[in-house]
Amino acid sequence: MTWLITGGAGYIGAHVARAMTEAGERVVALDDLSSGSGARLPEDVPLVRASVLDGEAVEAALKEHGVTGVVHLAAKKQVGESVEKPLLYYRENLHGLTVLLEAVVTAGVRNFVFSSSAAVYGMPDVDLVTEDTPCRPINPYGETKLAGEWLVRATGAAHGLSTACLRYFNVAGAARPELADTGIFNVIPMMFDRLTRGEPPLIFGDDYDTPDGTCVRDYIHIEDLATAHLAAARRLVERPGGDLTLNVGTGTGVSVREMAALIAEVTGRTEPAARTAPRRPGDPARVVASAGRIGDELGWRAVHDVRSMVESAWEGWCLHHPEARPR
């Protein structure tokens, strides 16, 4: 097997490439480097600099490297930006997937793992989100992921691909500091950023119907997410013709206030204390995964706790932001 990882030089992609190569899989990365960095990749992983929108480049990469399976991670992924730029998100995420699948079918590739998201569920009013929870995305990003799942499954059924759609929750942490997420779009790096600038971390809303009034989320360590991709890829090879849709989470909820307290403890930045700000539109009170099905199907489970996510993320943050280091 040779696996093509699209978006392979990104935060998630590089971790998946690392997990797969360390497990003995042959990997090649395809990335346009709009947000990724080739320096993240293991030395023995070839990098094809191209966009999934470039069908000729994708077809050439599949042929040149003898690709037999694809892990598709390349996508735009910022919810707020997707509301402002829906055409960009549909072009990059959905049309890009269409171009990629056309190349996959032409090349005779038979295994396809799709990076989906818990954003497909929207604002579920349940304690635990199962794969059977109705999908009602509330932003263009979530819409493109749900439509992407439909397209992957339909292509698999029509052309004999084994497919897996992985719906993952809130990703955090780093296997090594140099692999850390450099974006400031999710709650942990957003709090790191404000603390580094001497500003109080923000908690958006404290009047939700949750134990402490703040939103509750399921956080998954990036190393666990990477091994989930490896497990899904191997399952498709072992049982051809499969069609899986699986949550990737821990089943444990952490409130924003609990996260702010843990970040203060790990970083040693207890001042300035977190400040409450008004709710953000569209934030559901609680989104926590039911992780039972992925355990039953793949024998996979998360092994890292939320403290290890924050500690490893902080190490990476300090590497990329030396001014944050304690003096």
Side-chain angles (χ1 to χ4, degrees):
M1 291 292 299
T2 297
W3 291 91
L4 178 74
I5 302 177
T6 69
Y11 166 55
I12 295 175
H15 279 90
V16 174
R18 176 179 175 270
M20 295 187 77
T21 54
E22 289 184 352
E25 301 289 343
R26 291 195 298 271
V27 168
V28 57
L30 184 141
D31 201 300
D32 64 6
L33 301 185
S34 58
S35 59
S37 170
R40 281 188 169 127
L41 288 165
E43 291 183 0
D44 57 347
V45 172
L47 172 62
V48 178
R49 184 169 184 176
S51 167
V52 292
L53 290 162
D54 186 344
E56 290 185 0
V58 174
E59 286 187 27
L62 295 174
K63 181 177 180 181
E64 178 184 352
H65 296 279
V67 171
T68 51
V70 171
V71 178
H72 180 45
L73 302 169
K76 297 293 184 183
K77 62 177 184 177
Q78 302 308 322
V79 168
E81 184 183 52
S82 79
V83 175
E84 297 171 0
K85 301 176 180 179
L87 292 173
L88 171 66
Y89 271 66
Y90 272 83
R91 181 175 69 247
E92 294 282 339
N93 292 5
L94 203 52
H95 182 59
L97 174 60
T98 302
V99 173
L100 174 62
L101 284 169
E102 288 172 344
V104 162
V105 170
T106 299
V109 175
R110 287 288 176 264
N111 303 285
F112 197 93
V113 179
F114 177 59
S115 165
S116 188
S117 167
V120 301
Y121 295 115
M123 299 179 69
D125 186 19
V126 294
D127 287 337
L128 290 177
V129 179
T130 75
E131 291 82 354
D132 299 320
T133 298
C135 292
R136 300 188 180 102
I138 59 173
N139 52 64
Y141 168 67
E143 292 166 1
T144 64
K145 286 300 184 181
L146 182 56
E149 289 188 12
W150 296 340
L151 181 56
V152 167
R153 294 190 198 102
T155 303
H159 297 281
L161 275 70
S162 300
T163 62
C165 297
L166 302 183
R167 297 172 174 170
Y168 37 89
F169 285 62
N170 297 269
V171 185
R176 296 199 301 266
E178 60 270 24
L179 297 180
D181 189 4
T182 56
I184 310 174
F185 305 107
N186 300 316
V187 63
I188 293 174
M190 287 173 64
M191 288 188 175
F192 287 169
D193 179 57
R194 291 186 66 87
L195 287 171
T196 299
R197 292 187 281 117
E199 299 176 0
L202 295 180
I203 296 174
F204 294 99
D206 62 358
D207 57 351
Y208 288 92
D209 185 18
T210 60
D212 66 12
T214 67
C215 293
V216 174
R217 297 291 182 265
D218 189 332
Y219 294 89
I220 180 75
H221 196 293
I222 185 65
E223 287 192 276
D224 287 327
L225 181 64
T227 60
H229 282 81
L230 171 64
R234 287 185 161 173
R235 167 64 178 275
L236 296 185
V237 175
E238 293 166 0
R239 302 186 193 178
D243 173 22
L244 298 172
T245 300
L246 301 170
N247 288 339
V248 187
T250 65
T252 300
V254 179
S255 77
V256 178
R257 191 175 301 282
E258 289 171 333
M259 179 61 75
L262 179 58
I263 286 174
E265 182 180 335
V266 168
T267 64
R269 304 289 185 92
T270 56
E271 296 293 338
R275 179 169 63 84
T276 301
R279 287 189 184 193
R280 295 181 300 187
D283 271 348
R286 175 183 171 89
V287 184
V288 178
S290 169
R293 185 174 296 180
I294 191 171
D296 294 341
E297 292 285 352
L298 304 183
W300 175 94
R301 67 178 181 87
V303 298
H304 294 85
D305 62 16
V306 68
R307 174 176 286 274
S308 69
M309 298 179 212
V310 174
E311 289 175 344
S312 61
W314 179 241
E315 290 177 11
W317 179 267
C318 289
L319 175 66
H320 295 289
H321 302 84
E323 70 276 16
R325 295 184 183 278
R327 294 190 175 95

